[in-house]
Amino acid sequence: MRISVIGTGYLGAVHAAGMAELGFDVVGVDVDAAKIETLNQARMPFYEPEFEPLLAKHVGKGLRFTTDIAEIADADVHFICVGTPQRRDSPAADMSAVDGSVDAMIPFLKDGSLVVGKSTVPVGTAERLAERIEVATPESVTVELAWNPEFLREGFAVQDTLHPDRLVLGVNGDNAESILREVYARTIAEDQTPVVVTDLPTAELVKVAANSFLATKISFINAMAEIAELTGADVTQLADAIGHDDRIGRKFLNAGVGFGGGCLPKDIRAFSARAAELGAGQSVAFLHEVDAINQRRRDHVVNLVRTHLGSLAGRRVAVLGAAFKPNSDDVRDSPALSIAGQLHLSGARVTVYDPKAMDNAARIFPTLDYADSASAAVEGAEAVLHLTEWPEFRELDPEQLAASVATKLIIDGRNVLDREAYRNAGWTYVGLGRP
Ligand SMILES: NC(=O)c1ccc[n+]([C@@H]2O[C@H](COP(=O)([O-])OP(=O)(O)OC[C@H]3O[C@@H](n4cnc5c(N)ncnc54)[C@H](O)[C@@H]3O)[C@@H](O)[C@H]2O)c1
Ligand SMILES: O=c1ccn([C@@H]2O[C@H](COP(=O)(O)OP(=O)(O)O[C@H]3O[C@H](CO)[C@@H](O)[C@H](O)[C@H]3O)[C@@H](O)[C@H]2O)c(=O)[nH]1
């Protein structure tokens, strides 16, 4: 079976390599020539653990990348993995890449081929695309469309691609289901992966529902952090205590600066926008609050710095972390950079360090200062902000750090540093919702 993957970003590039690892002949297509050139050299255009060895194993063998959409012509299955970012002018998803890629594919779709959407889209997109393909393809060519949403997490993308915790197959009939079962046969056999076979709108909705639930869980615990901050309670202990209840679970109850990235923030907004279009805005009105709580966490950290330093003008602030989460170089809607940017705009002199996301951060926030290491970033700092929980930040020695800073003030935006060790070394340690 031959496979094409359209869009080779964080999702598509790893999916293409994953398909090659499953034994298929794969072509990845993107409009970004630089990305394609990098991938064809078996180098990763973004940081993702375990990804480069997979590229090295397959590029030039079963896996190639191209900007020429015509090269999808002999593929049997085409995965759409292009971006669906937030529109500039509204909270809705920008569907131009999805629509544009489908239009570009249509002339090269052979009879009997299957187009499979993986991008996260507003419910109703699959039906709309199926019609678009049907109208534009000659009568002699039958093309089916399925939706197979992706649940991978950045930082674990390779493992999640090869060993997903479930597969959701949105199909209109047995043929598409059996093709997708063939694609994922090895995974299903080796891992006994649960497979949910459903219709197109359910498959689309499952994805935004999952991300909405995750975002809600994070904002729930951050709302508890707000109350904890006013009462002297400890939100980390609260999370442990409620997390012992299997019905609640401890995962995704880490309070702090909140969620960011290229998925949760834009997905809850796009879902709200789509629900409103459907006349069901009220049904997911709580997502506006989820978003608002999340945004408040960022403002809260800026206010904490202001409270401790008095004024921000000219004050030296070190920011540890730029990526939206550890083990990624992705800075899309990153809480760390958003806070760093706000402090900078308020007149602070902000120096950022991140183990992997420095280039991406500097592209988006060129006016911030960047240091080569955590210890260089904190040099002379009047406040140190720990905003992305890279393991190396946990290993910093509070005694050693104390010697470099101007003021021993640390705000732990992820509540994971050794509070006692910092306090014993003379620091003012400020957790979020944690006394
Ligand atoms: N990043 C994740 O962890 C993840 C996980 C699950 C689902 N998703 C969803 O997958 C989709 C892609 O996300 P991403 O993070 O990979 O985005 P991304 O921005 O990293 O990648 C999108 C890629 O699509 C390419 N592209 C745009 N228009 C194209 C076209 N007409 N033809 C070919 N390529 C085109 C872009 O150049 C880019 O390389 C989104 O809908 C996202 O919500 C992402
Ligand atoms: O308890 C927690 C857990 C996460 N986060 C933050 O939430 C954000 C998202 O984290 P995570 O979900 O691990 O990262 P993503 O790679 O964005 O993955 C989410 O978005 C993807 C794209 O849709 C989905 O495929 C995944 O299933 C979904 O977890 C990050 O900023 C985390 O720091 C918290 O603040 N507290």
Side-chain angles (χ1 to χ4, degrees), residues 120 150-155 166 207 211 214 218 221-222 250-264 267 324-326 335 389 414:
T120 305
E150 175 58 53
F151 303 97
L152 72 79
R153 300 157 299 165
E154 288 178 26
R166 81 287 213 186
K207 174 64 199 179
N211 276 2
L214 294 171
I218 298 167
I221 201 64
N222 279 327
R250 181 61 179 82
K251 290 179 182 165
F252 269 69
L253 284 182
N254 296 321
V257 288
F259 58 82
C263 292
L264 300 192
D267 287 349
F324 82 104
K325 67 189 282 193
E389 69 278 34
R414 298 292 180 173

Side-chain angles (χ1 to χ4, degrees), residues 19 22 30 58 107 133 171 183 204 213 232 234 248 251 287 292 305 308 326 338 360 385 389 398 414:
M19 290 294 107
L22 292 181
D30 204 289
H58 296 290
I133 293 170
V171 293
V183 168
E204 294 168 312
F213 194 86
D234 184 335
I248 297 173
K251 290 179 182 165
L287 290 177
V305 180
H308 281 270
S338 154
N360 285 343
L385 311 190
E389 69 278 34
R414 298 292 180 173

Side-chain angles (χ1 to χ4, degrees), residues 149-164:
E150 175 58 53
F151 303 97
L152 72 79
R153 300 157 299 165
E154 288 178 26
F156 301 91
V158 171
Q159 282 308 312
D160 287 351
T161 298
L162 296 175
H163 306 285

Side-chain angles (χ1 to χ4, degrees), residues 54-108:
L54 206 58
L55 285 172
K57 188 170 166 193
H58 296 290
V59 169
K61 294 161 201 140
L63 176 61
R64 67 186 201 284
F65 295 93
T66 179
T67 53
D68 183 4
I69 192 76
E71 291 191 38
I72 70 164
D74 60 359
D76 309 289
V77 179
H78 309 273
F79 285 100
I80 301 173
C81 298
V82 299
T84 49
Q86 186 177 329
R87 286 172 61 105
R88 282 181 192 280
D89 57 353
S90 88
D94 178 346
M95 297 302 290
S96 57
V98 170
D99 293 353
S101 62
V102 168
D103 289 345
M105 289 163 73
I106 284 172
F108 305 103

Side-chain angles (χ1 to χ4, degrees), residues 394-405:
R394 239 168 287 178
E395 279 150 30
L396 291 169
D397 178 358
E399 301 270 1
Q400 268 178 19
L401 279 192
S404 318
V405 296

